[in-house]
Amino acid sequence: MCGIFGFIGNRAAAPLLVEGLRRLEYRGYDSSGIVVRNGDLQVYKKVGKVSELSKILPNHIEGNSGIAHTRWATHGGVTDSNAHPHLSENGDVAVVHNGIIDNARGIRKRLEDRGFELKSETDSEALVHMITIGLDSGQEPLEAVRQTLNRLSGTWGLCVLFKEHDMIICARNGSPLILGQGDGESFISSDPHALSRHTQNIFFLEDGDMAVINKDGIDISRLEGGSSSTSMTVIEDDWGEADMAGYPHFMLKEIHEQPEALRRCISGRLDRANGSAKLGGLKLEPVRLRSAPHVRLIGCGTALNACKIGQLAIESLARIPAVAHVASEFRYNDPVINPNAIHFAVSQSGETADTLSAVKEIQLKGGDVHGIVNVVGSTIARLCGQGVYIHSGPEQAVASTKAFTNMVASLLLFALRIGRTRSFSRERGRSIIDDFQKIPDLMENYLSNPGPIDEAVELLKEAKSVLFLGRGLSAPVASEGALKLMEIAYIPCLAYPAGEMKHGPIALLEEGSPVVVIAPNDRHREKTISSMHECKARGAKIILIHEEGDSISEEADVSIAIPKCDSILTPLLSVVPTQLIAYKVALALGCDVDRPRNLAKSVTVE
Ligand code: F6R
């Protein structure tokens, strides 16, 4: 989604801004732009990739401060004029803005009535004119920005650059903004990945914070006046360089990184002696685990699919009711919150607005929430203040892969932990742990010989639609496989619990319709075979993901074998072929695998 990068110091700003934008590219965007302060404010912006912007930049741009933006359209189409930065009519003020201004229509109308000619269709452009009105009436820059923000409702991560003042002013309300203090230079970003190579000294702005940024320092205050309590954090987590390491795409690299990422996630957390798991970030004493009335898991997209697996694993192992919730629905359904219940917010980015608002809703109603998050220091991680980092490392492809497997692994660790305090024996715990420890190697083995994925691609690449089926823990795996294929290959995909297929989606099947079935050798196997027969009787072609050595393979048109493991762990392995299938179908169709159209990596608007 939209990204912001800014710099002020003694070095040339333009190359740093462009490099910052490149680091934000993975979030998904449709246009980009920069403005550099060099006597005047020089704006360059362009629809398309950052590489398109680079083509219109002069070879050398003077100027030691500037702000930059990648835009993911919300108000107004994808055009050069709607791209940020927006410049005031007198050329004195430039802004970049993430978020949505809810009362923009009225403000734009009033500005037009005052004679302003708005050049874009965006909500953001209104801000630059409002700030200019304040400056023209004699306000200092900070005051002009403050007065402007006080007239807005909505969300913002905002940066303002001034022709006449050697500073950048930033503000945050609902859209992340992170400031970095280097040696004689300061940085701004909406995303910690873009800052970590420049400095470890970070300020995570809180909602309602404003900051004046100079090369020598950062001064943070509150929108309502007074100073802010936001203080500097030294980022210790080595987020690592996110390059492609010889792979043609980030998605393929991240699929192959799963064994190592999983090792990181479970390392030190499996407690074989007790048949349990240690999750240091969870502030849940055994008495709380024993007495909790239920568990709720909240997420979006891939994280929601991980929640659904967590729900089944927690219920199965701990015999406690568990429910997965669609985050975007949660708050608006006015949920009843039991303060003794256990709540999890699951998110790769830790910035997803829908999940964030669900966290706030639970906290407002007296519950506490644990984060299951990848990005260290992200808003959800900080708001929850407790939880589990999944340690996937940077995930750059928009389609989530290694974060999914580590979310599932983290929820399985929690299922072990709560299960041991409530329900199953140490021996059962040890047996799961013995298999859990083997999963990274089994994943590696599978990835070195993934089976006839290309045959599956042949069946899928020209399909009008694809049905994914699974039962039990494999139903959410089917959903995840369908989501992945749909989002990067743009093929309409439906995922159904296999038994539900005959109640509707069976109508779609005709001669040659591809159906992807996930059927590990668990207690659902026989029933899944019946569903497959129903599909085959209608001429469907079955792509079957099953355990190696299982005679169920005879049912398949394309049979993809995964290694055997304890049935509670199968999603960690059965999802991997679905990721490879999506990747290869997207490639075969010539799609932009890492940056699918319309999608954003970090969805910071509701
Ligand atoms: C799917 C995908 C999205 C995200 C969703 C939640 O591949 O990437 O569906 O899973 O937007 O994002 P996070 O996990 O960052 O909250």
Side-chain angles (χ1 to χ4, degrees), residues 266 270-277 317 412-413 416 420 424-439 442 564-570 572:
I266 62 177
L270 290 171
D271 174 8
R272 193 174 185 287
N274 294 306
S276 180
L317 291 183
L412 287 168
L413 290 170
L416 270 173
R420 274 293 288 128
F424 62 83
S425 68
R426 181 180 300 165
E427 283 59 46
R428 170 78 178 118
R430 282 183 179 164
S431 139
I432 295 173
I433 287 173
D434 288 343
D435 267 22
F436 214 152
Q437 279 167 328
K438 291 182 201 146
I439 298 282
L442 295 178
K564 287 188 193 151
C565 64
D566 190 295
S567 58
I568 201 87
L569 303 169
T570 52
L572 294 169

Side-chain angles (χ1 to χ4, degrees), residues 37 42 59 75 98 159 221 306 312 573:
R37 180 172 180 266
Q42 297 177 5
N59 282 341
H75 284 60
N98 288 354
C159 285
S221 56
L312 295 171
L573 295 172

